[in-house]
Amino acid sequence: MTTAQPHSPRPKRSRARSLIPLAIAAWLVLEIWLLTVVADTAGALALLMLIAGSIVLGAVVIKSAGRRAFRNLTETIQRQQRQQQGTPEVGGATPTTGNGFLMLGGLLMIVPGVLTDVLGLLLLIPFVRVMLGRYAEKSLERRVRAAAVPGSFTDAYQQARMHQPDGKVVQGEVIKNDERQSGQRPGDEGPRPPLTP
């Protein structure tokens, strides 16, 4: 005789999971429409030249941002080595100007499309990168502070997950084998099976 398990309702789909596919579809439709408008206005050859030029410019931007990031990394490593050796600093730290946003701008320019090219060109402007960097830094600090506060929603959720993981109970029995034979050392349990099958 079997007992029927209570049917748990399906978890509600989050708003982000519903909106992200719609936003991607709307973005694709808008990009295709803008490409057709540009092709009708300037011609197909001009559109192909625009796409090829944006791809080349995006690749150059990503390459230069990658070189700058590598140079900053080597300077940071050298600075840390000098500090460990006790050598005084010669120059101050070089300020970063948003290499991540610069690479994102280059990547957006490589993706074919008018809207992505405009967004990529906006990210090439240093003022825009600085503003986005400040906003991202403040947003990250807020999230870290909110997560670190004891008694916050995140803390309560983690506590609930620890005490009732998925609401499932696994039946079992714990066998404690602390009693060893007299004269037997802790590492001598006898022959062991091979580790490989």
Side-chain angles (χ1 to χ4, degrees):
M1 182 173 168
T2 61
T3 59
Q5 294 181 350
H7 179 66
S8 62
R10 269 179 103 176
K12 202 171 183 184
R13 195 169 179 179
S14 71
R15 179 175 268 181
R17 287 186 65 191
S18 300
L19 291 180
I20 288 176
L22 290 175
I24 290 173
W27 170 72
L28 287 174
V29 168
L30 182 63
E31 284 286 4
I32 291 170
W33 178 75
L34 285 173
L35 285 174
T36 57
V37 167
V38 170
D40 285 343
T41 304
L45 184 62
L47 178 66
L48 287 176
M49 299 272 292
L50 178 70
I51 290 174
S54 70
I55 288 173
V56 169
L57 183 61
V60 168
V61 166
I62 287 178
K63 186 176 180 180
S64 68
R67 283 182 179 165
R68 187 182 308 166
F70 185 72
R71 187 175 58 241
N72 288 343
L73 177 67
T74 55
E75 287 175 1
T76 303
I77 290 172
Q78 289 172 355
R79 192 177 314 116
Q80 288 178 349
Q81 288 175 349
R82 284 192 299 261
Q83 286 176 354
Q84 287 176 355
Q85 294 172 354
T87 309
E89 276 295 317
V90 176
T94 57
T96 59
T97 57
N99 265 347
F101 288 118
L102 195 61
M103 285 185 179
L104 180 63
L107 183 66
L108 285 173
M109 292 182 70
I110 288 176
V111 174
V114 177
L115 191 61
T116 54
D117 288 347
V118 169
L119 291 175
L121 285 172
L122 279 175
L123 287 175
L124 295 184
I125 301 171
F127 174 73
V128 174
R129 288 197 312 265
V130 169
M131 293 300 291
L132 283 174
R134 287 180 186 164
Y135 173 75
E137 188 176 339
K138 288 178 184 177
S139 175
L140 183 64
E141 284 177 5
R142 261 195 321 257
R143 288 177 186 238
V144 166
R145 268 190 260 124
V149 174
S152 66
F153 177 73
T154 307
D155 189 36
Y157 178 72
Q158 289 298 331
Q159 289 294 326
R161 292 274 304 166
M162 281 193 289
H163 292 296
Q164 294 182 356
D166 299 334
K168 296 177 183 174
V169 177
V170 178
Q171 298 293 331
E173 182 177 320
V174 177
I175 300 172
K176 202 171 186 181
N177 191 9
D178 281 342
E179 301 152 0
R180 292 192 173 89
Q181 298 173 356
S182 60
Q184 188 179 12
R185 292 185 302 191
D188 297 337
E189 282 96 17
R192 295 182 183 210
L195 294 176
T196 56

